[in-house]
């Protein structure tokens, strides 16, 4: 099939919405990463998302809405904490897990009795959902296992020939996927860190915990709360190692251990000054690193890097999300100096 790149003018968005109404899969921009959208209530449409991505059937999809009023029809009960989070962080990069109503097909929820719901802040995303008139299931628009896409070109590279259209809304503002949380007792559990940080959620309740799977490699037989945690993720071809060190120690380490096929992921050019090594600058602070990380991981492949040494991000605020994604890209290889 031919994959059309669409702009964000009214006519193009109406066309994208029409495709969605007709059960087709469309690449759409959001503030976090690009999504591969389809009617969340249509089993065949959702099935086509799994096919296009090569995604395991038991990995549930997030359902995207454009108005708060859609929530009631999709989920069983809405805890008070969820209402507070919606008020504080929606529209925005936060996904909340609820008990699902029967209207959400098992294909969408990966066989679970819960469903993740998010109202994106990206205006183009909300306009497409609203024009389509149905909730939109959308995983990140990458092939399963690859870094999530933050530009329409990234989506095109992975999905050319697999979906009829991709809406080009420019570079994603946040760059890492939404924070995924669930509610347990009177607390919040972070299943996947994102731009809405633990510190942000602590404004709502003191009782916020980070799930074990966020920073630890789970053994294959662990029962996980979020199926996405157990799959291989964000993996470039290069063998990535995180180097947890200050700039001086980092420079000393790479001078000794890098070879001509190594590329360094750095915060600043000066991190590898004088080494003559190739490098990709992925940003000087956590926000920039979030926005650029996935593009940097894709670039590693484009330049044919065999090995990569990455400076370790901060583990607070949105930095925790950057660290969580980089850890998976590195297959949990970290050297602390
Ligand atoms: O920012 C985002 O969330 C992007 C954009 C497109 O909205 N979407 C996204 O979807 O990242 P995806 O499918 O790539 O990641 C969804 C994650 C997976 O790790 C999945 O296992 C988890 O959320 N998840 C979805 N529904 C869940 C549920 N009912 N219970 C636990 N985890 C769930
Ligand atoms: Mg994904």
């Amino acid at each position: 099939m031919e994959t059309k790149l669409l702009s964000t003018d009214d006519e193009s968005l109406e066309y994208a919405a029409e495709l969605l109404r007709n059960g087709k899969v469309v690449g759409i921009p959001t503030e976090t990463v690009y999504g591969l959208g389809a009617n969340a209530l249509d089993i065949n449409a959702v099935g086509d998302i799994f096919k296009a991505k090569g995604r395991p059937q038991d990995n549930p999809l997030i359902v995207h809405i454009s108005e708060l009023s859609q929530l009631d029809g999709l989920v069983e009960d809405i805890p008070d904490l969820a209402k507070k989070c919606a008020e504080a962080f929606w529209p925005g990069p936060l996904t909340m897990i609820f008990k699902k109503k029967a209207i959400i097909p098992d294909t969408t929820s990966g066989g679970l009795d819960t469903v993740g719901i998010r109202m994106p802040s990206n205006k183009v995303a909300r306009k497409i959902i609203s024009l389509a008139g149905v909730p939109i299931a959308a995983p990140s628009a990458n092939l399963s296992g690859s870094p999530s896409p933050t530009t329409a070109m990234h989506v095109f590279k992975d999905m050319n020939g697999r979906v009829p259209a991709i809406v080009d809304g420019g570079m994603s503002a946040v760059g890492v996927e939404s924070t995924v949380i669930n509610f347990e007792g009177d607390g919040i559990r972070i299943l996947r860190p994102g731009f809405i940080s633990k510190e942000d959620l602590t404004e709502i309740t003191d009782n916020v915990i980070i799930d074990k799977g966020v920073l630890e490699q789970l053994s294959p037989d662990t029962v996980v709360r979020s199926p996405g945690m157990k799959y291989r993720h964000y993996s470039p071809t290069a063998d990535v190692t995180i180097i947890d060190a200050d700039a001086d120690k980092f420079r000393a380490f790479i001078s000794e251990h890098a070879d001509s096929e190594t590329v360094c992921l750095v915060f600043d050019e000066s991190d590898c000054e004088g080494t003559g090594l190739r490098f990709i600058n992925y940003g000087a602070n956590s926000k920039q690193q979030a926005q650029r990380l996935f593009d940097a991981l894709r670039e590693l492949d484009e330049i044919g890097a065999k090995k990569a040494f990455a400076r370790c991000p901060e583990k607070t605020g949105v930095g925790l999300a950057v660290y969580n994604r980089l850890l998976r890209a590195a297959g949990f290889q970290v050297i602390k100096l």
Side-chain angles (χ1 to χ4, degrees):
M1 98 177 62
E2 191 210 342
T3 300
K4 284 196 187 119
L5 271 173
L6 304 175
S7 75
T8 56
D9 62 24
D10 287 350
E11 205 181 317
S12 302
L13 297 191
E14 185 42 65
Y15 177 66
E18 187 187 317
L19 287 171
L20 291 167
R21 279 195 301 273
N22 291 331
K24 299 286 190 276
V25 177
V26 178
I28 60 172
T30 85
E31 73 278 19
T32 55
V33 300
Y34 275 72
L36 215 49
N39 179 353
L41 310 180
D42 177 338
I43 298 172
N44 294 320
V46 165
D48 285 345
I49 295 181
F50 284 88
K51 277 186 217 147
K53 273 185 71 88
R55 180 176 177 109
Q57 298 286 336
D58 67 344
N59 196 357
L61 306 178
I62 293 172
V63 174
H64 297 68
I65 57 177
S66 54
E67 326 276 328
L68 198 51
S69 59
Q70 291 173 280
L71 186 60
D72 258 336
L74 302 173
V75 308
E76 278 301 346
D77 40 38
I78 305 172
D80 278 344
L81 266 183
K83 287 181 191 145
K84 287 185 188 154
C85 287
E87 202 172 303
F89 305 116
W90 274 4
L94 178 73
T95 296
M96 297 191 264
I97 311 283
F98 299 96
K99 187 147 196 319
K100 78 174 187 75
K101 279 196 169 146
I103 189 172
I104 304 273
D106 288 340
T107 320
T108 304
S109 69
L112 299 176
D113 60 1
T114 56
V115 63
I117 311 274
R118 155 163 135 80
M119 191 193 321
S121 61
N122 181 291
K123 290 210 171 72
V124 172
R126 281 216 311 286
K127 187 150 183 207
I128 294 170
I129 300 166
S130 150
L131 287 170
V134 287
I136 298 295
S140 51
N142 51 287
L143 286 171
S144 202
S146 312
S148 297
T150 53
T151 66
M153 250 318 125
H154 293 163
V155 183
F156 191 79
K157 280 188 184 137
D158 281 15
M159 292 298 151
N160 186 17
R162 292 170 178 260
V163 300
I166 299 163
V167 177
D168 186 349
M171 187 177 177
S172 306
V174 171
V176 289
E177 309 87 337
S178 60
T179 309
V180 178
I181 60 172
N182 70 5
F183 303 97
E184 289 180 14
D186 57 358
I188 293 176
R189 177 185 290 267
I190 300 178
L191 301 176
R192 179 176 72 182
F195 189 78
I196 304 298
S197 63
K198 179 178 184 202
E199 293 82 348
D200 293 333
L201 293 165
T202 306
E203 301 278 316
I204 308 290
T205 168
D206 287 338
N207 191 353
V208 181
I209 57 172
I210 296 177
D211 194 82
K212 232 176 106 180
V214 167
L215 296 174
E216 281 175 42
Q217 188 164 29
L218 301 170
S219 66
D221 53 349
T222 315
V223 178
V224 291
R225 284 186 172 80
S226 181
M229 295 199 294
K230 70 183 180 204
Y231 293 109
R232 187 172 154 270
H233 251 114
Y234 318 120
S235 303
T237 312
D239 182 35
V240 181
T241 306
I242 299 174
I243 311 299
D244 192 350
D246 64 23
D248 290 339
K249 285 188 180 146
F250 180 81
R251 212 179 303 108
F253 178 89
I254 58 175
S255 307
E256 191 173 341
H257 294 95
D259 56 41
S260 62
E261 289 181 314
T262 306
V263 176
C264 299
L265 292 184
V266 299
F267 300 165
D268 188 272
E269 229 175 288
S270 62
D271 292 344
C272 52
E273 204 172 346
T275 63
L277 291 166
R278 288 186 295 174
F279 66 90
I280 299 168
N281 182 342
Y282 82 108
N285 56 53
S286 298
K287 250 185 172 169
Q288 285 181 1
Q289 289 161 10
Q291 209 194 19
R292 295 188 203 161
L293 178 70
F294 289 140
D295 186 59
L297 292 175
R298 283 176 179 259
E299 201 180 327
L300 282 178
D301 279 348
E302 274 157 31
I303 61 184
K306 295 267 159 41
K307 204 158 97 171
F309 290 133
R311 273 206 72 188
C312 186
E314 298 274 345
K315 294 163 197 162
T316 53
V318 64
L320 184 70
V322 179
Y323 183 60
N324 166 270
R325 307 310 190 271
L326 193 55
L327 256 183
R328 279 157 179 77
F332 292 84
Q333 302 183 93
V334 183
I335 295 176
K336 194 167 167 54
L337 299 177

